[in-house]
Amino acid sequence: MLKDRLFYLGISLDEACYLCDCAAEIYEHLLYQCSFSKILMTQMMQFLNIRLSEVDTLQWIQRKPWAKVKKMVVNAFVQACWYTIWQQRNKARLEMRVFRQDKVLHEIILNLKLQAAFWLSCSNRRDDTLWISSLFRVNL
């Protein structure tokens, strides 16, 4: 992001985060420190029943000894949350409104439920099938 580059060069635009109004809006803050983002990511982790590292999230997922399908699901959720955080930031900036995190997570779950059939077809492990089916209430 251009704001990040300017911030690290010592040029501050003095714009607070549109979601929490607590700190300068840079990449690290928006995805990891913003109260809106923290709550959304916490709710997502509770839904998936996992504990997720805040640092180098995608690399951390790849290093986990999880099955390939579980990594795909968790990765998709994290990226969907990040994309949604960016969307909510833009809504806050342009439309002066922000949705509650539980409503946002519900939308993410509905969108990713469409991918559940694909994830189920990628695995022949019973544990993966049961985990995905339980998340999305998909019939086996």
Side-chain angles (χ1 to χ4, degrees), residues 16-72:
C17 174
Y18 288 101
L19 295 173
C20 70
D21 199 31
C22 291
E25 185 188 74
I26 59 173
Y27 171 81
E28 287 87 6
H29 171 77
L30 193 59
L31 297 183
Y32 297 108
Q33 299 159 356
C34 174
S35 59
F36 178 91
S37 303
K38 281 184 172 183
I39 291 169
L40 178 62
M41 294 298 279
T42 300
Q43 289 177 348
M44 183 264 307
M45 290 185 283
Q46 289 171 344
F47 175 78
L48 294 173
N49 196 24
I50 61 168
R51 297 175 76 201
L52 192 60
S53 170
E54 291 183 2
V55 181
D56 296 325
T57 306
L58 298 179
Q59 291 176 355
W60 179 84
I61 293 168
Q62 291 308 316
R63 288 193 305 266
K64 289 297 281 183
W66 292 336
K68 178 183 170 185
V69 172
K70 186 169 186 174
K71 288 182 183 186
M72 286 180 0

